[in-house]
Amino acid sequence: MTEMLLRSIVTARAKYVLVDLTGLATIDTMTANAFMQMVRAAGLLGTRCVLTGLSPQTAQTLVTLGVEMNAIPTLRSLKQGLEYCLLHQRRQPA
């Protein structure tokens, strides 16, 4: 998944990537680690990841695992994530 995402970022010259976790009931340590590596790799390409759709259980698991999420915008819904990206896209110089 990370490889495909990074290729798509380069091809599309994406400044933002929405990662929607709606429907994900829980997350384990290995998946959380892979997710954070994906976010860091996207950041190295100049792309900001925006996380949407976290369930209460997933949020609690991430906190329990000690996953640092401060650098990742986290929003309730995909709609809010899209609005966030569009708003910040307009603020950035071309």
Side-chain angles (χ1 to χ4, degrees):
M1 186 167 116
T2 300
E3 219 173 285
M4 282 181 25
L5 175 67
L6 297 177
R7 264 186 287 195
S8 296
I9 287 170
V10 171
T11 302
R13 298 180 186 174
K15 293 183 181 177
Y16 292 91
V17 170
L18 286 167
V19 179
D20 186 43
L21 299 180
T22 300
L24 180 68
T26 188
I27 193 167
D28 62 14
T29 305
M30 190 165 57
T31 305
N33 185 45
F35 171 72
M36 293 310 295
Q37 287 179 1
M38 181 179 71
V39 169
R40 284 193 294 273
L44 289 173
L45 295 177
T47 300
R48 183 144 195 199
C49 287
V50 177
L51 183 63
T52 63
L54 274 173
S55 69
Q57 298 88 348
T58 302
Q60 187 173 13
T61 301
L62 290 170
V63 170
T64 301
L65 294 173
V67 176
E68 187 60 46
M69 302 289 287
N70 291 339
I72 306 169
T74 306
L75 301 161
R76 284 186 181 181
S77 68
L78 187 55
K79 179 183 177 197
Q80 288 176 334
L82 285 169
E83 290 169 349
Y84 174 93
C85 293
L86 290 171
L87 178 67
H88 286 83
Q89 180 82 15
R90 288 186 203 123
R91 291 183 181 173
Q92 293 179 348

